[in-house]
């Protein structure tokens, strides 16, 4: 009995030594030891591998498997295994797979990169949206990279920074205007342009209307609302210079005069006609561009061109009129229009140009355009409301 046990133990020892030797002489050699996989790539190409047992090629006998979860960042493994007769494990090799996120979040600024803030108030973020290919909004850190000290009216350059959990960061440059208004005050129903008129730039109604003859002396330069009023004779066509979507950027394009397309720009026609009074209404097409300060600067440049073309002309700036809530065809939202009108007011005050704020008779109780006064597109006046605008102009404009 003891002899049998000794023989059995001997054979087991030989088998164990043989197994250990075979393990030592089995080689698995992948082409790569580590793979970096970008999040969003939902498959990985296994590295090529060479395998041998006692010098014999057994590559085609290799079994491959992995534990990769493509939806979660982290470290995973590709395992290469060789089992003798498909059962007895002889060798195993791992290739590390790191799934990483290298995409920065995306920042959206619905109101553009200009921010308004009141002096001596707590900092507030601009309206923004942030999305990321991996993290939800709750895991994205958003901050300002420059501390804004609101002690004096000034302009600050800053950036909005959004960093995801992998420390990928995106930046959006900002200009913060510290003064007498904050972003919240531009909201429809809250905004009141008269509140920020500290120099009497906005003309007020007093019930003393211009006569028809006096009104007929005014030249109107503007966009499609003026074109429509000219076509239907609510404005004298020989006193209307207009084009669709007129704005500072398109001011030098050929315009219509007397309901006829002309080869001349508005400034060129003004030079020829030499009007004594001008009402200028433009900018809706560009109010949604995100930088109302730049819009006002460009607007001011066009006013200079008009003044140079007709040095004796008295110019009035008519504020951008409101749009109906939910309008999808207007080029700007009501908030964007409010921001643009605020900047136009500051520009007019600096240039000592009177401003016509007819919006007050086109607003509804919510601070949007009254849908009963506008066509279905939400920004063109209805025909029976043309006189609402012309009567307002007759009320506020006075002859020199």
């Amino acid at each position: 009995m003891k002899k049998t046990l000794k023989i059995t133990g001997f054979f087991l020892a030989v088998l164990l030594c043989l197994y250990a030797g075979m393990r030592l002489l089995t080689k698995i050699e992948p082409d790569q030891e580590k793979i970096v996989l970008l999040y969003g790539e939902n498959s990985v190409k296994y590295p090529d591998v060479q395998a041998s047992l006692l010098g014999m090629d057994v590559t085609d006998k290799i079994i491959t498997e992995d534990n990769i979860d493509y939806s979660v960042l982290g470290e995973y493994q590709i395992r290469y295994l060789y089992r003798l007769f498909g059962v007895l494990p002889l060798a195993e090799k791992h290739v590390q797979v790191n799934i990483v996120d290298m995409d920065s979040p995306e920042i959206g600024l619905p109101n553009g990169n200009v921010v308004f803030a009141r002096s001596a108030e707590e900092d507030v973020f601009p309206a923004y949206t942030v999305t990321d290919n991996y993290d939800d909004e709750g895991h994205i850190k958003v901050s300002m990279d420059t501390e804004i000290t609101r002690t004096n009216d000034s302009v600050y350059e800053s950036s909005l920074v959004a960093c995801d959990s992998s420390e990928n960061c995106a930046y959006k440059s900002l200009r913060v205007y510290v003064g007498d208004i904050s972003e919240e005050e531009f909201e429809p129903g809250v905004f009141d342009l008269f509140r920020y008129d500290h120099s009497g730039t906005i003309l007020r109604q007093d019930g003393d209307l211009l006569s028809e003859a006096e009104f007929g002396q005014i030249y109107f330069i503007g966009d499609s609302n003026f074109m429509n009023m000219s076509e239907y004779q609510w404005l004298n066509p020989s006193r209307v210079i207009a084009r669709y979507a007129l704005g500072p950027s398109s001011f030098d394009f050929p315009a219509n005069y007397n309901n006829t397309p002309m080869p001349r720009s508005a400034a060129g026609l003004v030079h020829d006609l030499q009007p004594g009074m001008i009402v200028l209404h433009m900018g809706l097409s560009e109010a949604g561009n995100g930088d109302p300060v730049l819009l006002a600067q460009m607007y001011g440049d066009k006013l200079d061109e008009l003044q140079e073309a007709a040095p004796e002309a008295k110019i009035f700036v008519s504020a951008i009129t409101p749009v109906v809530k939910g309008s999808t065809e207007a080029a700007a939202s009501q908030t964007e229009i409010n921001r643009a009108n605020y900047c136009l007011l500051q520009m007019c005050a600096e240039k000592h140009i009177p401003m016509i704020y007819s919006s007050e008779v086109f607003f509804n109780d919510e601070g949007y355009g009254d849908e009963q006064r506008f066509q279905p597109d939400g920004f063109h006046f209805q025909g029976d409301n043309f006189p609402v605008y012309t009567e307002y102009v007759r009320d506020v404009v006075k002859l020199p």
Side-chain angles (χ1 to χ4, degrees):
M1 182 69 177
K2 290 183 179 181
K3 184 175 180 180
T4 301
L5 289 174
K6 287 182 179 180
I7 293 173
T8 301
F10 172 77
F11 277 109
L12 287 174
V14 171
L15 288 173
L16 288 172
C17 289
L18 181 61
Y19 176 68
M22 293 179 69
R23 284 180 61 88
L24 288 173
L25 294 173
T26 302
K27 294 182 179 181
I28 300 177
E29 299 177 326
D31 286 350
Q32 298 172 256
E33 295 184 356
K34 185 176 181 178
I35 295 174
V36 176
L37 190 67
L38 297 180
Y39 178 76
E41 298 179 10
N42 294 322
S43 64
V44 62
K45 182 180 182 302
Y46 289 174
D48 292 336
V49 65
Q50 296 293 323
S52 62
L53 169 62
L54 301 174
M56 297 181 296
D57 188 349
V58 292
T59 301
D60 60 344
K61 306 296 184 185
I62 293 296
I63 299 170
T64 57
E65 59 185 36
D66 68 65
N67 64 346
I68 299 173
D69 182 348
Y70 293 97
S71 66
V72 180
L73 303 180
E75 294 184 1
Y76 301 93
Q77 290 181 338
I78 298 172
R79 292 186 292 273
Y80 297 87
L81 305 100
Y82 176 71
R83 293 187 177 96
L84 187 63
F85 307 123
V87 177
L88 188 64
L90 286 185
E92 181 174 332
K93 190 74 173 182
H94 296 165
V95 172
Q96 182 176 322
V97 178
N98 290 343
I99 298 182
V100 299
D101 174 21
M102 299 187 69
D103 291 329
S104 300
E106 293 187 2
I107 303 173
L109 297 173
N111 292 331
N113 68 334
V114 173
V115 182
F116 294 88
R118 277 189 173 272
S119 303
E121 289 186 356
E122 293 294 326
D123 283 340
V124 293
F125 282 95
Y128 71 87
T129 60
V130 63
T131 56
D132 187 67
N133 66 324
Y134 182 74
D135 292 295
D136 58 34
E137 186 174 354
H139 291 88
I140 302 173
K141 182 180 178 181
V142 182
S143 61
M144 299 271 279
D145 72 348
T146 302
E147 183 177 353
I148 307 299
T149 305
R150 297 188 183 182
T151 55
N152 297 300
D153 292 0
S154 189
V155 182
Y156 296 87
E157 298 292 335
S158 185
S159 292
L160 194 67
V161 185
C163 298
D164 63 19
S165 60
S166 299
E167 299 186 355
N168 302 307
C169 297
Y171 299 82
K172 283 283 188 179
S173 61
L174 298 172
R175 274 180 289 124
V176 182
Y177 289 82
V178 177
D180 66 346
I181 194 169
S182 63
E183 287 293 335
E184 293 82 359
E185 296 172 67
F186 290 115
E187 292 300 314
V190 176
F191 182 73
D192 181 2
L193 190 62
F194 289 109
R195 187 184 307 159
Y196 310 102
D197 180 17
H198 308 303
S199 58
T201 299
I202 302 177
L203 302 176
R204 265 65 169 182
Q205 291 181 288
D206 61 9
D208 184 13
L209 274 61
L210 292 176
S211 68
E212 290 291 345
E214 291 170 331
F215 182 73
Q217 298 178 34
I218 302 174
Y219 280 73
F220 292 84
I221 302 175
D223 55 21
S224 50
N225 273 316
F226 281 3
M227 291 185 69
N228 292 340
M229 283 190 275
S230 173
E231 182 179 351
Y232 291 98
Q233 305 295 314
W234 283 99
L235 293 175
N236 182 344
S238 67
R239 294 293 185 269
V240 177
I241 300 170
R243 70 179 310 277
Y244 290 112
L246 184 69
S249 295
S250 61
F251 195 75
D252 296 331
F253 295 172
N256 287 10
Y257 171 64
N258 205 12
N259 293 336
T260 303
M262 306 296 287
R264 305 269 283 164
S265 68
L269 290 167
V270 165
H271 178 272
D272 296 341
L273 297 167
Q274 290 298 304
M277 287 193 299
I278 296 172
V279 169
L280 177 61
H281 177 271
M282 66 175 182
L284 175 61
S285 61
E286 297 174 30
N289 288 352
D291 193 337
V293 176
L294 178 60
L295 173 64
Q297 291 171 348
M298 296 170 61
Y299 203 118
D301 291 341
K302 299 311 169 184
L303 287 171
D304 292 342
E305 288 184 21
L306 288 178
Q307 202 69 77
E308 183 177 349
E312 301 301 320
K314 177 70 174 178
I315 301 177
F316 302 84
V317 167
S318 186
I320 302 170
T321 46
V323 294
V324 173
K325 184 177 182 179
S327 172
T328 58
E329 293 188 47
S333 69
Q334 187 58 52
T335 299
E336 291 168 329
I337 290 171
N338 293 342
R339 297 170 97 233
N341 279 333
Y342 173 82
C343 293
L344 290 180
L345 172 61
Q346 311 310 310
M347 180 272 294
C348 287
E350 291 176 7
K351 290 180 172 292
H352 304 289
I353 293 177
M355 192 170 188
I356 300 171
Y357 193 48
S358 63
S359 299
E360 64 173 328
V361 293
F362 283 94
F363 280 135
N364 64 12
D365 293 338
E366 296 181 83
Y368 292 90
D370 185 344
E371 62 182 7
Q372 296 183 27
R373 298 195 182 280
F374 292 88
Q375 295 182 25
D377 59 21
F379 66 97
H380 281 118
F381 301 152
Q382 286 191 10
D384 57 1
N385 276 270
F386 291 160
V388 174
Y389 181 82
T390 58
E391 290 297 296
Y392 189 91
V393 173
R394 288 180 63 192
D395 195 348
V396 299
V397 170
K398 308 304 174 189
L399 291 179

